Amino acid sequence: MNIFLRSSCIVLILGLMWQFPAYSQNGSTVSESKMIPEVLAKQFHDLSKNNTSDLVYLQTSKNIYETEEDVWFKGYVLDAQFFLPSGNSKILFVQLIEDKTDKVVWEKKYEIESGFVNGHLFLDSNLAEGTYTLAAYSSFSYTRNSKEFYALKKLEVLKSISRKEIFKPVKKDITLHFNVFPEGGKLVHGIENTLAFKAVDSNGLPIDVSGSLYENNKPLLDLKSIHAGMGSFVFTPDADKKYHILLTSPASGGKFSLGEIYRSGKTLQLAGQTKETLIFKVSQSAALKEETVYLRTQVRGIVYSIAVGLLKKELIIKVPLKDIPQGIAEVTLFSENSVPEAERLVYVNPDQKLNINAQLDKNSYETREKATLKIKVTDQNGQPAAAHLGLSVYDKLYQNKGDAKNIFTHYLLSTQLKGNIYDPAYYFNTQNKNRHQALNLLLLTQGWRSYVWEESNLREKVKTVIPIVSDELKAKISLRKNNAKTTEAPPQGIKVFSADEHKGSDIVLADEAGVFFITPDHLRKGQGGYTYLKLMTPQESKYHIDIKDFSFEEINRERKIKTVLYPIPALLNKKTEDLQLIGDRPDINKLNEVLITSKKKIIFRDKFIGKLDSLAKIKPSTDYVCENGILNCPKHPPYPNYKFINTTNNRQFSEAELLVMFNIAAIKGFYGKKVFYEPIYDLITINDPTADYRNTLYWKPDLITNEQGEATVSFFCSDINTSYLGNIEGVSGDGLLGTENFEFLVKKK
């Protein structure tokens, strides 16, 4: 064990606390009554393990779409603690919502396969231009206890790209919100401490400020924000003096208080940070007695270390970062009675990620030329990593520069902190030299109470973890109306099948109450169409299958009361982009399609419904006219002397009528899969006069690297000669995240 000493010693205890004994400075075992570190760790782990949940991220083929295009997306369903592909949920419920009207324009179920979803949806020509939200829900990610919702992607939908708008910036207002945040949680008399501050408007947009700290109405020091309205300064407060901050820019005229200054207490300061170590200074008032204190470090509900030391006046504690994953760490100082005294959020191990290297065989290409891309993925140690990647290559014109969301910002910031974050991509861009300092300020000003893995937040979540949607749909075998006195025994067997006979059938047994469940396996049978259920009884059975799927109704009811959190876009200098298009572009960037029109309404049926329709036309009619001349009168059942009418030869049955007629129930299966269109140009087809106006050249949501961390793909350029962007995102089997972008040019021959 390493001992770090300043005015007194501390001992660092690593690992799962209840598996290792604590030691004093001379190496002797601490008595069991002093095994507080083990208790602190075990209690916290027991709390966090009861919060099993998933986090969903959506990667799309681009940010901006035109109507009559397909939106290609990849869903990542990862375990919330370790970011491993999750097997908890099997169904991803997906909606497309128009932001302006809050109207759902698309909703379907997609199959989650080993933690990933390969999906698409079509943008109808009738859709209005504007911003749309692509939202995803699963049984382990969408619960009633959670007040925030993160699993969404903003899309801009246009009729034509010629009127492209980069983004719609949030309008700034003149309302100034200025707040101060003492490091560790409080200011203590006579102890030097860091005070962070943040200035934003009512929309959360940052306001750059400068001003002075006043002590007894006399200027003490100057202050100035350094990033996104945030900044900090160090000073030693005096409880016998009065302090306030006065801003000179913008000149608000108001005085901002520093809050309470405690006459005695303990403080926690981050004194230094390296790639290997966090260095903390723990201080307490001179009048307080010396006592044993504990410093706990946890990331996403897992305790990675607890340091134990004797605090007199000051104590330096070093926390090694080895084996701690990248992300936000919560460091909590406990007294000898296990009472939390101070807390602090720190971002650790930013280099623990997937390093994705994408290398094209050329820097520029001719139209319709073949491009080859080699991908190499390594971990932070340079070792090859097998990863599940999503790759998109598209026209740069379809990039929304205002969207700051990617797989890093989603999993490592947005889903970890309550509240919207302004331009989170800034903190992961290596070109920003002050990004680490800025990220430290973000965590200081966001406050540890906003950390979703903070203990009080975990306790609140564990009380009411109630899923909103389920992977299984409850169904029941019920008596038909007017059959209450039947003596017919209720059936228990149900045959589950689809129109595709090659997928086979299943037999499901209901319980004594007639209840059974439709599973994801059953929905897979009906993928792209319907899953059918038929009672294993004579056709004229007095029982039928009752299915009511309220999944999306429950989703809509709940989402109206949740807070939607999406990164606030960075303020750009331009609101619109001058379209200096290179070469030839079509007025409409869509594939030509053949539209079939008819004066008669065409009913599209799968093979099974078509078969039922054929059987119905040769089935004896059951239509009748009662004594009052009413067809199929519900008040007068068909007595023997009533006239039966043969309508089967000249009547078109609806799907609903056919299902009722043959006592069969149907439910929509998973939304069908579609293959992304990729042309192949050779010596003959390269001269095809048909224009190729594809703006998305390549989409590969299931690109998996080999054991050497390598993968190679090829694609053909289109006739649009312009700049193209490539975007790669993904996750490894160890929970490491990665992203990479590349750019190239296509020139006309």
Side-chain angles (χ1 to χ4, degrees), residues 282-319:
V282 180
S283 307
Q284 71 173 4
S285 303
L288 296 179
K289 67 179 181 66
E290 65 179 48
E291 66 171 291
T292 302
V293 293
Y294 309 90
L295 194 69
R296 184 185 70 192
T297 304
Q298 66 99 353
V299 178
R300 297 193 291 273
I302 302 296
V303 176
Y304 286 91
S305 70
I306 292 185
V308 185
L310 185 64
L311 173 62
K312 294 180 180 178
K313 183 179 180 181
E314 288 184 355
L315 186 63
I316 296 296
I317 302 177
K318 294 183 179 180
V319 179

Side-chain angles (χ1 to χ4, degrees), residues 60 62-67 69 71 96 99 123 127-134 153-161 163-169 397-403 566 569:
T60 53
K62 52 186 180 179
N63 306 111
I64 300 174
Y65 293 86
E66 294 173 285
T67 54
E69 280 193 301
V71 174
L96 184 66
D99 286 7
L123 298 176
L127 290 181
E129 290 190 327
T131 303
Y132 288 76
T133 296
L134 185 67
K153 184 75 172 179
K154 295 290 186 181
L155 306 176
E156 289 294 326
V157 176
L158 305 174
K159 293 292 184 180
S160 173
I161 196 65
R163 292 183 292 167
K164 172 191 172 183
E165 194 173 80
I166 290 181
F167 73 105
K168 298 176 181 178
L397 194 61
Y398 293 81
Q399 177 193 25
N400 185 349
K401 295 180 181 179
D403 193 335
Y566 201 81

Side-chain angles (χ1 to χ4, degrees), residues 93 95 104 107 109 137 142 144 468-469 473 548-560:
F93 300 79
Q95 291 182 324
V104 177
E107 54 185 22
K109 296 178 183 179
Y137 322 85
Y142 196 58
R144 298 194 190 281
I468 297 170
V469 293
L473 180 62
K548 292 182 175 62
D549 187 0
F550 298 110
S551 300
F552 284 108
E553 285 84 348
E554 289 296 317
I555 286 172
N556 291 332
R557 186 178 298 111
E558 192 70 22
R559 72 178 178 85
K560 293 182 184 299

Side-chain angles (χ1 to χ4, degrees), residues 583-613:
D584 300 326
R585 282 176 181 266
D587 293 330
I588 300 178
N589 291 329
K590 304 177 182 71
L591 293 175
N592 292 327
E593 296 181 357
V594 178
L595 300 179
I596 301 175
T597 60
S598 173
K599 293 183 179 180
K600 294 183 179 180
K601 183 179 179 181
I602 299 176
I603 300 177
F604 294 94
R605 307 172 185 268
D606 64 19
K607 293 180 180 179
F608 182 70
I609 291 295
K611 180 180 179 181
L612 294 184
D613 189 48

